[in-house]
Amino acid sequence: MLAKAERDLARLGAAEEAQDATAASDAMFDLAVSLTSLRDWLKEHLPASAASQVDPYVAASLSLTSYRDIANGGKHRVIRRYVPKTNEVTASATVIINAALTAEHFTQNPQPGSAPWRLKIVSADQSRHRALDLGQTAIREWRDFMSLHRMGS
């Protein structure tokens, strides 16, 4: 699952480099689902004492909570089981993908001829973070967690 997240991150980087908003949206959603699925997988495959540490680990991580919110917002439209820490995803100042993250928001493209864009994740506190940076951090955090619990990555 971690290897899948790494491939999704590479696709996100390539789509951003190519300025392909549709491919970037697809790759970002795939990355979010892969990272969130890894959480679920770990909870099922770790001993109970370690599995109980997964959710607090996610809660303490900006990167993992951001991608959790993107995955859940995309899958469920409205998140009701917890308060999301992510407000929105933007592509520079040209495209906004709402916190609801519905499929129609993932297909908006920047205006032709606009300046090159980068995907940013905006947290509830209005801090802005480059999506690729948070993706790299999330993968590193999961790798560290798995290593700590002696699980292969």
Side-chain angles (χ1 to χ4, degrees), residues 12 14 29 42 62 81 83 93 96 99 102 119 123 126 139 145 147:
L12 177 58
F29 183 70
L42 287 167
L62 171 66
R81 293 187 180 180
V83 176
I96 294 178
T102 58
L119 289 175
S123 298
Q126 299 304 309
I139 288 170
F145 185 88
S147 177

Side-chain angles (χ1 to χ4, degrees), residues 61-122:
S61 165
L62 171 66
S63 61
L64 295 173
T65 57
S66 295
Y67 278 101
R68 175 202 62 193
D69 293 348
I70 291 167
N72 288 334
K75 291 187 300 183
H76 306 295
R77 185 169 173 102
V78 177
I79 299 171
R80 291 188 170 93
R81 293 187 180 180
Y82 64 91
V83 176
K85 295 182 179 180
T86 304
N87 271 2
E88 63 188 8
V89 176
T90 67
S92 296
T94 58
V95 176
I96 294 178
I97 303 173
N98 290 335
L101 299 172
T102 58
E104 58 268 22
H105 291 106
F106 277 112
T107 59
Q108 296 178 14
N109 287 304
Q111 296 296 318
S114 63
W117 48 265
R118 294 180 180 174
L119 289 175
K120 303 276 176 72
I121 296 173
V122 182

Side-chain angles (χ1 to χ4, degrees), residues 15-30:
E16 192 176 90
E17 180 70 27
Q19 298 290 280
D20 184 337
T22 300
S25 293
D26 290 348
M28 176 177 260
F29 183 70
D30 291 349

